[in-house]
Amino acid sequence: PELFAAVSRAYDAHLARRDELVALLQERGAEPVASAATYTLPSNPVTEGDVRRTGRRVEESSAARYSLLVRDAADRDARTWAIEALTDAAVRALDFGSAPRAFPGAAELSR
């Protein structure tokens, strides 16, 4: 039940962040790229360990992408949004067993 709740929270958070980012881009006059109809997971999670590993990879990858937004954001509001998104992804990664890091997402960018 705890793992199911963590996956559900992560899914809901990703949908909310996607919608927020689309709105943020549209407010700035940009045309966001449409979301894919489906997403391919890095593996086919079957066991609890598989689900945790996949969750870690997804959240760490998300943290890495958000860290790029923190670096490249053009204004304070966008940077604040990216910092909050990065923090959320890093905390969710902990739910899936990731080790705490001083700079979440940084290791993922170097791969």
Side-chain angles (χ1 to χ4, degrees), residues 1-11 14 41-60 92-98:
E2 291 174 17
L3 183 57
F4 179 79
V7 169
S8 294
R9 281 191 307 272
Y11 180 74
H14 284 283
L41 293 175
S43 65
N44 183 19
V46 177
T47 67
E48 180 179 336
D50 293 341
V51 172
R52 289 187 184 284
R53 278 187 293 281
T54 300
R56 272 194 308 271
R57 280 195 297 263
V58 167
E59 296 303 341
E60 289 171 357
R92 279 192 308 276
L94 298 175
D95 287 343
F96 295 111
S98 186

Side-chain angles (χ1 to χ4, degrees), residues 60 63-64 67 86 101 103-111:
E60 289 171 357
S67 72
L86 166 61
R101 298 187 180 128
F103 297 101
E108 185 70 25
L109 289 174
S110 64
R111 291 183 191 170

Side-chain angles (χ1 to χ4, degrees), residues 2 4-5 15 19 27 31 35 37 51-52 56-57 62-64 69 73 80 88 91-92 98 100 102:
E2 291 174 17
F4 179 79
L15 291 179
D19 294 346
E27 286 172 10
E31 184 63 34
S35 297
V51 172
R52 289 187 184 284
R56 272 194 308 271
R57 280 195 297 263
S62 295
L69 287 174
T80 298
D88 289 346
V91 170
R92 279 192 308 276
S98 186

Side-chain angles (χ1 to χ4, degrees), residues 14 17 61-71 81-82 85-86 89:
H14 284 283
R17 287 291 178 195
S61 177
S62 295
R65 300 315 174 257
Y66 290 134
S67 72
L68 293 174
L69 287 174
V70 171
R71 182 192 72 190
W81 182 89
L86 166 61

Side-chain angles (χ1 to χ4, degrees), residues 9-32:
R9 281 191 307 272
Y11 180 74
D12 292 344
H14 284 283
L15 291 179
R17 287 291 178 195
R18 179 203 60 200
D19 294 346
E20 290 170 0
L21 185 56
V22 166
L24 186 66
L25 290 169
Q26 289 174 333
E27 286 172 10
R28 288 166 167 69
E31 184 63 34

